[in-house]
Amino acid sequence: MKRTQRWPSLWLVLVLVAVAAVRLRLLDLPLERDEGGYAYFGRLILEGIPPFAGAYDTKLPGIYYAYASMMALFGDTPRGIHTGLLLVNLLTMVFLFLLGRRLVGEGAGLFSGLSFGVLASSPWALGLWAHLEHFLVAAATAGLALVSCGRQRRGEVFAGGLCLGFALVTKHPALAFVLLGLVALLLGLPSRAAEGRPTMLWRLGPYCGGVLVAPALVAAILAASGVWEKFVVWSFKYPAYHVSTNTLDIGLELLRHRFGRIAAANPVACGLALFGLLPPLWLVHWRRIWCFTWLFFLLSFLAVSPGLFFRPQYFLLWFPALSLACALGFEGLRRLCARAGGTWSERAASCLMVAGVAFFPLLHDWRFFFTMDSFEASRAVYQSNPFPESVVIGKFLRERAGLEDRIAVLGSEPQIYLYAARRSATPYIFTYALMEEHPWALAMQQEMIRSIEQAKPRYLVSVNMVSSWLPRPSSHDLIFRWARAYVSRHYEQVGLVQIPPQGLPNFVWEEQAARFLLRTPGRDEFVRPSISVFRRRGPAAQARREG
């Protein structure tokens, strides 16, 4: 390798090391509930149980297999899961470097990778938690890099389609990236030639074949496992009711508020991205690349927008396009400065832009990145959600429950199952669907009740928090009425976690916990956030109570 070719690779390694160094301290962040759900599915897969056989959720199966692979490599602890996430983010930075380098140049490639590394680490986008959007953009950028950056050999085109196909079985909006890969393929970026074989059919065949491999494989696994019907209900029919609940006014306000927090922490990157999206009148040969970047920008935004929820982690889908636009802004401004003031002006502008993108977010969130412990960092982002408390509750259950004992969590806190290393007594590891307006809500509550009564779990955890249920005025309250009667008849309270709006939680265990009133989920109980842990009474104790 020539010395001039070696420097960009060395700079890329330096950028990767710097991003990893900032994040290493926070690898032990408590899992939040989405991570807990993915990890629970991943553990079931590693035990030979396919998705939707032992647990239900609305996500496509790709994320569960990604988690299973990650947990097999790095372990099923928060550190192991977040180590896998860090590796996925670093790979995405490499793919964006390759994409930016091929489309514009070495400097743009490096700046694109740096921008994504910074944006994807933002606490305001929930970037340090392993949401499925991280895995989707890694697969999508790998596919786009292969389709756009190579000489469009059939193997490269097929591999690119294969990566985009995996993105497609991770989340429905990945279809936007599949369409973008098709456009990049047909445009022949960065040139129209493809090894002397420019026919559309020659390029489309391997691409479409690659895209279809992952969906076909997942469909075959689910059909062979006998869970196809449940997969269709949970991943397609039920979400069809779920995606259309927000009005345009509410959606725009959520977009303004949530992306506004990300932009406030990353103003230099966002400013350069806007500049990069301007028509590149000073460089005529950039116009096709500029059009591709605009299409990337718009399709990525559409991937963020379904349902107009604009949850913070959804913006991770937008960050690759923003990073590429940021790289175009960097390269355009650098060249303008070179024309106006010469080499020294160009170098000064480059240093200022790199420093602004890299260091402003660290200064903005200095305490989060460098001084907060894992409990404080979780509280700073997720407020009073019981993610740190779940670690303690899971340890309590793991030490007391037998290896074959089942536990049940009344609420949407599946991370407790992971910490406890015990199987759920019910496939309903999330309870949001039980509270929403759709045709299956009451039947879901009845199925959850039957599964718990049949399993007779040794321990039962009651999460008395609005954020774990999200009840609505029209929600059926059968599950609440049943829980109150069932718990008081068969269980004794052995743990109580009181969670104040601010400050540290209060843990009470065993005999002391038994002195408190039993608390089960219910609209009246949600005003005093707490988590109760119950143990099933033995036959003798049950007989005395009934007597």
Side-chain angles (χ1 to χ4, degrees):
M1 182 184 293
K2 295 180 181 179
R3 182 174 299 179
T4 54
Q5 296 174 330
R6 189 182 302 130
W7 277 110
S9 299
L10 293 176
W11 278 111
L12 176 62
V13 171
L14 180 62
V15 170
L16 296 175
V17 169
V19 170
V22 171
R23 291 175 51 167
L24 284 175
R25 195 184 68 85
L26 294 172
L27 291 180
D28 288 316
L29 283 170
L31 299 179
E32 56 91 64
R33 55 178 62 95
D34 281 351
E35 291 179 298
Y38 305 148
Y40 185 71
F41 271 90
R43 175 176 282 169
L44 292 180
I45 289 173
L46 293 176
E47 294 175 358
I49 302 172
F52 306 100
Y56 303 150
D57 194 15
T58 60
K59 308 303 188 296
L60 296 178
I63 184 59
Y64 309 139
Y65 287 102
Y67 255 74
S69 302
M70 185 169 64
M71 291 161 63
L73 290 173
F74 303 108
D76 59 3
T77 64
R79 174 169 286 270
I81 290 170
H82 295 146
T83 298
L85 169 64
L86 177 57
L87 179 60
V88 167
N89 286 160
L90 296 180
L91 288 173
T92 307
M93 293 170 64
V94 174
F95 300 142
L96 282 169
F97 163 74
L98 295 174
L99 185 61
R101 181 179 68 176
R102 187 67 175 176
L103 296 180
V104 183
E106 303 281 5
L110 285 168
F111 205 81
S112 180
L114 171 65
S115 301
F116 179 82
V118 173
L119 288 168
S121 300
S122 173
W124 308 114
L126 310 183
L128 300 189
W129 286 268
H131 290 281
L132 69 83
E133 286 77 10
H134 287 288
F135 300 86
L136 191 158
V137 298
T141 52
L144 292 174
L146 286 165
V147 169
S148 304
C149 299
R151 299 177 63 188
Q152 295 189 345
R153 299 185 182 93
R154 275 176 290 198
E156 292 173 339
V157 172
F158 178 80
L162 195 64
C163 292
L164 287 161
F166 175 77
L168 194 59
V169 297
T170 303
K171 192 176 184 181
H172 307 84
L175 180 61
F177 295 97
V178 175
L179 295 176
L180 183 66
L182 180 63
V183 170
L185 183 67
L186 298 180
L187 285 176
L189 292 172
S191 64
R192 292 186 181 274
E195 288 193 318
R197 302 287 299 279
T199 62
M200 182 182 297
L201 182 60
W202 183 88
R203 287 180 274 179
L204 283 180
Y207 178 77
C208 294
V211 168
L212 293 175
V213 167
L217 182 60
V218 168
I221 292 174
L222 297 178
S225 303
V227 295
W228 179 259
E229 185 176 347
K230 290 188 180 297
F231 162 67
V232 171
V233 169
W234 279 94
S235 294
F236 291 95
K237 291 184 179 180
Y238 161 59
Y241 287 85
H242 184 64
V243 298
S244 57
T245 55
N246 278 349
T247 64
L248 180 60
D249 290 343
I250 293 175
L252 291 176
E253 177 60 25
L254 291 172
L255 173 63
R256 182 197 66 78
H257 172 68
R258 289 173 175 167
F259 187 74
R261 298 173 74 176
I262 297 171
N266 300 272
V268 179
C270 292
L272 284 173
L274 289 176
F275 183 72
L277 291 171
L278 295 175
L281 301 177
W282 56 87
L283 287 172
V284 175
H285 68 276
W286 273 21
R287 289 181 182 173
R288 286 176 61 237
I289 297 170
W290 175 78
C291 291
F292 172 78
T293 305
W294 254 108
L295 187 62
F296 194 2
F297 183 86
L298 292 175
L299 286 176
S300 299
F301 180 74
L302 290 178
V304 174
S305 305
L308 301 179
F309 292 109
F310 294 112
R311 294 190 174 97
Q313 68 270 27
Y314 289 4
F315 292 104
L316 292 163
L317 301 177
W318 208 11
F319 287 168
L322 284 175
S323 300
L324 185 59
C326 189
L328 290 182
F330 166 81
E331 191 68 15
L333 192 58
R334 184 183 68 80
R335 296 190 184 193
L336 287 178
C337 290
R339 290 182 183 181
T343 303
W344 287 106
S345 177
E346 174 193 354
R347 291 178 178 175
S350 299
C351 290
L352 287 174
M353 287 186 283
V354 169
V357 167
F359 294 115
F360 189 93
L362 295 180
L363 294 174
H364 184 273
D365 296 306
W366 179 270
R367 290 191 63 248
F368 178 86
F369 285 111
F370 298 108
T371 66
M372 290 183 179
D373 60 26
S374 59
F375 176 90
E376 293 171 329
S378 181
R379 278 288 188 263
V381 174
Y382 285 102
Q383 287 82 49
S384 60
N385 279 284
F387 305 147
E389 292 80 3
S390 296
V391 179
V392 181
I393 294 170
K395 181 180 178 181
F396 176 87
L397 295 173
R398 186 174 65 249
E399 292 174 347
R400 288 162 176 78
L403 292 177
E404 301 302 321
D405 285 340
R406 298 292 185 95
I407 63 175
V409 177
L410 300 180
S412 302
E413 308 300 337
Q415 68 278 4
I416 294 176
Y417 296 119
L418 190 74
Y419 293 134
R422 299 296 183 271
R423 294 268 297 278
S424 171
T426 173
Y428 288 90
I429 60 173
F430 291 97
T431 53
Y432 298 129
L434 281 60
M435 298 289 103
E436 294 175 346
E437 297 180 30
H438 55 81
W440 306 279
L442 183 58
M444 287 178 177
Q445 291 192 18
Q446 293 169 340
E447 184 182 0
M448 183 175 182
I449 290 170
R450 286 195 303 270
S451 61
I452 293 176
E453 289 182 341
Q454 290 172 5
K456 298 179 180 179
R458 174 65 172 160
Y459 285 89
L460 189 147
V461 180
S462 172
V463 186
N464 311 308
M465 302 183 70
V466 171
S467 61
S468 201
W469 289 86
L470 299 183
R472 306 178 183 195
S474 58
S475 297
H476 295 285
D477 65 350
L478 172 65
I479 190 75
F480 299 149
R481 291 185 282 108
W482 166 83
R484 189 177 304 113
Y486 184 74
V487 169
S488 63
R489 186 181 311 121
H490 298 288
Y491 288 84
E492 58 183 352
Q493 188 165 255
V494 293
L496 178 64
V497 185
Q498 298 168 320
I499 304 174
Q502 295 180 343
L504 298 175
N506 179 42
F507 294 90
V508 182
W509 302 111
E510 297 295 354
E511 292 80 6
Q512 292 183 348
R515 301 172 186 172
F516 289 82
L517 293 176
L518 299 184
R519 297 196 59 191
T520 57
R523 301 177 195 275
D524 296 336
E525 297 292 343
F526 292 152
V527 297
R528 296 173 294 168
S530 68
I531 301 177
S532 295
V533 181
F534 301 100
R535 181 170 57 219
R536 192 172 185 88
R537 295 190 184 92
Q542 184 69 26
R544 286 196 301 271
R545 180 175 178 81
E546 293 177 354

